[in-house]
Structures are given as structure tokens and as C-alpha cells.
Amino acid sequence: MVPVHMRRSLPVLLLCLSSCATTPGNVSLRSDGTPGPEECPQKALEAMRILGLSVGDAAEVELDVNQTDASPITLYDGPVESMLNSPLGPFPSVSRLYGRVWTGGPQAVIRYYEVQPPEREPIPICAVARLGLGQLRKKPESKPGTAILEFSSAALYIVNSFR
């Protein structure tokens, strides 16, 4: 349930930010192919503050909506559409997440730049997919530009910058 004060803020926030599409910037790659540091855009920091999302807030996410509940899954370098499996602050499960996947290193790196609640405009955020114990680690049979992962879901964490 979304608190009353947030229900009033969400339409105003959506109106203010709907024209501000957030896309990944030019991210330098490390020698192992993983993305380097990236600042969280000011609009995303502002949106997360207004919505009451804090660094470390977490939810469960289905990594690729086209491979829900599959095992294993294959992720490709580039854009990804994911879906919340559990609520995140004011966002209900089934909200869509838009981000980017990098597969160059020993594990997949997934950064999210937008969340889109049902029947609403996308809102800028900064979040990452994580799993403990190396569970985003690529399977040995992964070809260049892909990451074959054992699990289709992971934890999503709000961040204030990408490291």
C-alpha cells in the first residue's frame, strides 16, 4: 500500500520527470570488460528522494521479462527489460525496469536507469541487480557478448552511484 503523502507526490513527480528520459551515459569499461564507475543522474537522485527510496532499499527482480522463471537464462550485452517480483517503495510488483547488461567480465553486470509502474510514465532511478555467492556468475559455456545464468531472478538494490 502506498502511503497517502506518496500517492499525492507520484503524479506530480511523473509530470515533472516524464520528459526527462534517462539513458546510460558513456561508461568506460575496465580491462575485464565490466563497466566502470558512473554517476547517478541528478533527476534520478531527486526522484528517489521524493519517492522515499534510499540506498540499500531492495526488492526481487525477474532479470528478463522474456525469460521469466526459465533456468538457465541467457542475457545479452545491451538493453534489458526486467520486472519487479516484489514491491519496491511505492512501486508494485510487475512494475517494469529498464537498464543495461554488460557480459564482458566473469559475471553479468546489470544497471537499471528507469522504473515504470503499471499505466504510468517511466521514472528515473539508479539500481543494480545482485545475488550473493557469485550467482550472477556466467556459466562456462557463455559465448562472447552473452551471459548464461543459472537463475532468472535476483535482488535489486537502490544505489546513489554505480561503482
Side-chain angles (χ1 to χ4, degrees), residues 25-38 102 111 163:
N26 290 330
V27 179
S28 62
L29 297 180
R30 295 182 176 106
S31 61
D32 68 355
T34 58
E38 181 182 8
W102 287 267
R111 295 177 177 177
R163 296 176 177 87

Side-chain angles (χ1 to χ4, degrees), residues 26-94:
N26 290 330
V27 179
S28 62
L29 297 180
R30 295 182 176 106
S31 61
D32 68 355
T34 58
E38 181 182 8
E39 293 298 317
C40 184
Q42 195 59 42
K43 293 284 186 190
L45 292 171
E46 182 181 327
M48 293 186 303
R49 182 186 56 74
I50 291 169
L51 293 168
L53 294 173
S54 300
V55 171
D57 287 352
E60 186 180 335
V61 64
E62 194 66 33
L63 295 172
D64 182 348
V65 294
N66 296 310
Q67 301 181 72
T68 301
D69 292 330
S71 179
I73 66 166
T74 302
L75 297 178
Y76 299 89
D77 278 325
V80 68
E81 179 182 3
S82 302
M83 179 179 67
L84 287 176
N85 282 338
S86 61
L88 176 66
F91 303 113
S93 58
V94 308

Side-chain angles (χ1 to χ4, degrees), residues 82-152:
S82 302
M83 179 179 67
L84 287 176
N85 282 338
S86 61
L88 176 66
F91 303 113
S93 58
V94 308
S95 294
R96 300 302 171 123
L97 295 149
Y98 299 98
R100 180 169 167 81
V101 176
W102 287 267
T103 65
Q107 66 182 28
V109 174
I110 307 168
R111 295 177 177 177
Y112 293 104
Y113 301 95
E114 290 183 329
V115 60
Q116 184 173 8
E119 301 178 29
R120 303 271 187 195
E121 293 297 315
I123 297 169
I125 62 164
C126 291
V128 295
R130 290 187 185 140
L131 275 179
L133 305 175
Q135 292 172 324
L136 284 178
R137 186 165 299 283
K138 298 181 335 187
K139 290 183 158 278
E141 60 268 26
S142 298
K143 292 182 173 34
T146 69
I148 299 174
L149 305 177
E150 184 175 348
F151 302 103
S152 67

